[in-house]
Amino acid sequence: MQTSDVVVVGAGLLGSAVAYGLARQGVSVTLLDEGDQVFRASRGNFGLVWVQGKGVGKPDYARWSRGSARLWPQLAAALLEDTGVDVCLQQRGGLHLCLTESEFLERQARLQELQDAVGADYPFEMLDLKAARTLLPALGPTVFGASYSPMDGHVNPLKLLGSLHQACRQRGVAIHTRQHVTTVAKQGSGFEVQAGTQRWQAGRVVLAAGLANRTLAPHIGLQVPVAPNRGEVLITERLPPVLSYPNNLIRQTDEGTIQVGDSMEEAGYDDNVSTPVLGNIAARAVRCMPALGELRLVRSWAALRVMTPDGFPVYQESDSLPGAFVITCHSGVTLAAQHALTLAPWLAGGDRPAGINGFGVNRFCSTRPTEGPLDAH
Ligand SMILES: Cc1cc2nc3c(=O)[nH]c(=O)nc-3n(C[C@H](O)[C@H](O)[C@H](O)COP(=O)(O)OP(=O)(O)OC[C@H]3O[C@@H](n4cnc5c(N)ncnc54)[C@H](O)[C@@H]3O)c2cc1C
């Protein structure tokens, strides 16, 4: 039996970020992961650290995302110092492309609503095509315009995941892969986590198992109705630097490839690519930047987003089993800095961070639970 202060189940972007944050605080952590045979959004995403447009109807989410973007340089610097890995964070801003006037006006209204809700620290500009081309000269003549915000950026998401794992190891986190966790149970004053014949004990447990949180959360008395949403992505051959800013559809990676994406599809647990969807993604990208039509495509993939019914995160401690937590979100790249630097201290026993009270699971219940008030942590 191995013991630690905290067991984290799932070594995707969420589990790894909080494990790293916990270890930075001197907490002993065991990180368990099932491995390549299950769905892993953290290996198939678009790499944006994105704020603009997020949080309509939930200003706390807009603030949480904005706060993460602000903390990101600190996370990138800490990972560089601990591991020597540069995750290639670029935060000089990003654009959201609008193909028609009505899209443009809708976008403007959306961002204005968010700015009104969040306050002045939510900068954005609406750019007509001429102004947008000063940032992205490759834009085609049928683009109507774009919103630009200096809050946005991107990273290399695979370097991020790898460096989180490396930093965890360097700070003493015990990482066990190929461990399919089947049981989490109360044991004495803490918890016992079981995978096959292996068992681990800890004072606290954090479920960060992506889509598998749906089946694991009931072990700690919680229901987390996450569901898959498929995203397909295309990658071109490498080019010298040509795109200075990422946008919602197209970005140039630090390695020179152009990443084009991404669909949002209800396809159950099917994570195969489909030619018609990839065709639509390519056609839309070529309409936005005609020169992309000359490039060779070298790779495509699909991955499953981990979506809650309202699209906002879940950060919940169990009412019936205090010390057991479940966490999930669909913007694990953007929120990695909050997870490592703000959420981890709470998971270690500190105060619940301001601004996440609206991210409990009780919002999905049709009736209020009788055992306690909503989000009473
Ligand atoms: C196409 C696409 C584009 C995206 N683009 C962006 C973007 O631009 N910006 C952004 O911020 N986010 C983006 N995302 C979302 C982001 O990738 C996810 O929010 C993030 O990866 C979720 O991480 P996770 O750790 O919760 O889940 P996962 O990556 O799914 O990790 C869960 C982990 O749990 C493990 N596990 C599962 N079951 C068990 C078990 N029983 N026992 C032990 N381990 C288990 C798995 O092995 C896995 O490693 C995108 C996602 C997709 C699919």
Side-chain angles (χ1 to χ4, degrees):
M1 183 75 70
Q2 299 155 65
T3 60
S4 51
D5 295 331
V6 183
V7 168
V8 179
V9 179
L13 281 172
L14 265 76
S16 306
V18 298
Y20 177 52
L22 287 163
R24 275 166 55 91
Q25 300 218 303
V27 174
S28 70
V29 183
T30 299
L31 180 57
L32 305 176
D33 194 75
E34 182 161 351
D36 277 333
Q37 62 275 34
V38 289
F39 302 111
R40 300 203 288 183
S42 302
R43 293 185 183 271
N45 63 66
F46 206 66
L48 297 178
V49 174
W50 208 255
V51 180
Q52 62 159 303
K54 288 180 173 173
V56 171
K58 192 116 174 162
D60 276 350
Y61 185 55
R63 284 189 204 97
W64 185 242
S65 303
R66 175 76 177 112
S68 201
R70 231 186 269 110
L71 283 172
W72 242 105
Q74 202 179 318
L75 175 64
L79 289 170
L80 183 63
E81 191 180 332
D82 278 359
T83 65
V85 175
D86 179 356
V87 298
C88 303
L89 174 68
Q90 275 193 24
Q91 281 184 304
R92 57 173 84 105
L95 290 86
H96 179 104
L97 306 183
C98 304
L99 291 174
T100 61
E101 183 175 11
S102 69
E103 271 181 37
F104 186 85
L105 294 173
E106 225 173 85
R107 184 76 187 162
Q108 185 168 28
R110 182 184 181 92
L111 294 182
Q112 192 56 58
E113 183 183 333
L114 281 160
Q115 192 181 59
D116 292 344
V118 171
D121 185 26
Y122 197 89
F124 76 92
E125 278 176 71
M126 297 306 296
L127 308 176
D128 62 16
L129 177 58
K130 189 170 169 223
R133 274 181 168 160
T134 62
L135 303 179
L136 284 177
L139 289 177
T142 60
V143 173
F144 185 83
S147 59
Y148 163 79
S149 172
M151 303 182 287
D152 299 320
H154 57 151
V155 292
N156 181 317
L158 291 180
K159 286 183 184 164
L160 169 63
L161 187 63
S163 70
L164 283 169
H165 290 166
Q166 196 179 326
C168 279
R169 280 198 190 88
Q170 273 168 228
R171 287 188 176 259
V173 175
I175 304 182
H176 300 274
T177 56
R178 281 176 287 180
Q179 302 297 336
H180 171 60
V181 170
T182 49
T183 313
V184 180
K186 186 80 185 151
Q187 180 73 37
S189 60
F191 297 91
E192 186 174 285
V193 176
Q194 190 174 345
T197 56
Q198 303 256 45
R199 286 154 198 256
W200 293 265
Q201 281 190 352
R204 289 168 171 260
V205 63
V206 180
L207 302 180
L211 289 166
N213 274 342
R214 191 181 184 106
T215 49
L216 287 174
H219 291 248
I220 60 166
L222 296 171
Q223 301 294 330
V224 182
V226 282
N229 177 280
R230 186 168 71 185
E232 301 186 36
V233 166
L234 287 165
I235 300 288
T236 72
E237 61 187 303
R238 293 179 190 209
L239 300 178
V242 285
L243 300 181
S244 305
Y245 297 86
N247 64 67
N248 55 316
L249 304 174
I250 303 157
R251 73 179 189 106
Q252 185 164 25
T253 70
D254 55 290
E255 283 152 349
T257 58
I258 309 285
Q259 188 169 10
V260 180
D262 46 352
S263 57
M264 291 198 80
E265 304 162 66
E266 302 300 332
Y269 286 86
D270 177 357
D271 66 351
N272 291 298
V273 291
S274 81
T275 310
V277 174
L278 290 176
N280 284 339
I281 291 173
R284 185 177 59 181
V286 170
R287 187 173 166 202
C288 293
M289 288 186 186
L292 292 179
E294 304 300 315
L295 299 179
R296 273 178 307 160
L297 294 169
V298 295
R299 217 161 37 252
S300 64
W301 68 73
L304 301 182
R305 296 184 185 84
V306 184
M307 295 297 283
T308 56
D310 60 8
F312 299 120
V314 165
Y315 306 121
Q316 178 76 54
E317 183 173 12
S318 169
D319 288 327
S320 54
L321 296 174
F325 300 81
V326 64
I327 61 172
T328 190
C329 77
H330 83 279
S331 288
V333 181
T334 303
L335 297 177
Q338 291 281 32
H339 294 156
L341 304 175
T342 313
L343 208 66
W346 170 57
L347 300 172
D351 292 336
R352 189 176 168 90
I356 65 162
N357 283 338
F359 301 138
V361 289
N362 290 343
R363 69 186 195 266
F364 305 125
C365 300
S366 50
T367 53
R368 255 176 107 98
T370 50
E371 65 268 23
L374 282 176
D375 302 317
H377 306 292

